Amino acid sequence: AALSRPEADPACWGTVQDRLVVHGIQEVTVRITVDRTGNVRLVQFLSPDLSPAAERDLRRACESCAWKPGLTERGAPAETSTATFVIPSPGERR
């Protein structure tokens, strides 16, 4: 439980990766806050710097995903975490 962190539903990876391809981005790292029901409350892009259009598009993709809340040692929802979405190499799947 101490190392638990919010995780996106596996289907989400494809949703976000599709948007990365559209904007020509290889990788993006985001900071998220997930509530007890799994809804993303905040998405902040840590890297790379994005155009306003790419940021809006990727924010919508991340917020449309189902997230599994992480838990602290006491069983409370982990407040924040980071996630990195990467375009897989040919033949590699998430």
Side-chain angles (χ1 to χ4, degrees):
L3 301 176
S4 178
R5 61 189 188 113
E7 292 185 25
D9 180 288
C12 177
W13 290 94
T15 301
V16 176
Q17 288 171 340
D18 288 347
R19 303 323 307 157
L20 292 175
V21 169
V22 166
H23 292 286
I25 301 166
Q26 183 66 34
E27 177 178 321
V28 67
T29 301
V30 297
R31 179 171 306 279
I32 58 170
T33 300
V34 180
D35 68 18
R36 222 177 246 288
T37 64
N39 293 317
V40 174
R41 291 187 290 148
L42 170 78
V43 177
Q44 175 188 8
F45 294 95
L46 302 175
S47 67
D49 289 333
L50 302 172
S51 70
E55 187 171 317
R56 276 190 309 274
D57 198 24
L58 288 167
R59 181 180 303 274
R60 271 186 247 144
C62 287
E63 290 177 349
S64 72
C65 296
W67 290 79
K68 179 188 84 177
L71 301 175
T72 65
E73 290 178 20
R74 297 177 145 185
E79 292 184 11
T80 62
S81 182
T82 59
T84 300
F85 295 92
V86 180
I87 299 298
S89 303
E92 181 183 349
R93 289 187 159 190
R94 275 242 177 228

